[in-house]
Amino acid sequence: MMEQSVNELASAFERLDRREQDMLLRKFRQHFGREVSISSDGLRDMNADEVESIRATIVGLVLTKEQVPDIVGMYEKLRGTQLPARASFGRKSP
């Protein structure tokens, strides 16, 4: 299980640009109080919870970057469309 997390983590980390990688490594260093290397050797001394925390952070960042909606494109597409002025949730009151 740990090996799979490390492989997924390393793969996701490589999908980030250098600036993002450096920022994450700085934040991990601040959080854990020591240098963190995103490699099987570098993560060997960390416990499973720490590795999972790092994995979830990196995978979440990659997912967020790749799934950002095209807000400007959608705005242009819906320009001039009459949209509801109010949104409600739950039951309608009588």
Side-chain angles (χ1 to χ4, degrees):
M1 179 70 167
M2 176 90 151
E3 183 72 23
Q4 183 180 8
S5 287
V6 169
N7 290 338
E8 182 182 6
L9 191 158
S11 174
F13 190 72
E14 291 171 6
R15 291 161 62 184
L16 299 172
D17 65 38
R18 187 68 191 162
R19 183 184 57 78
E20 293 163 332
Q21 290 176 355
D22 290 343
M23 182 266 308
L24 279 176
L25 291 174
R26 276 193 315 276
K27 294 301 181 182
F28 291 146
R29 183 176 56 243
Q30 288 172 352
H31 179 74
F32 293 109
R34 63 183 185 273
E35 293 293 326
V36 174
S37 174
I38 307 300
S39 67
S40 55
D41 289 339
L43 297 169
R44 184 179 344 170
D45 296 331
M46 302 188 89
N47 69 46
D49 289 338
E50 291 172 328
V51 172
E52 178 55 25
S53 177
I54 292 169
R55 187 201 65 78
T57 301
I58 293 173
V59 169
L61 179 58
V62 169
L63 181 64
T64 299
K65 280 183 54 176
E66 292 177 353
Q67 299 301 318
V68 173
D70 181 9
I71 294 172
V72 173
M74 189 56 69
Y75 177 80
E76 290 300 323
K77 180 180 174 183
L78 295 174
R79 184 184 290 230
T81 304
Q82 189 66 22
L83 298 175
R86 292 178 53 183
S88 60
F89 302 92
R91 293 189 217 205
K92 271 185 143 177
S93 42

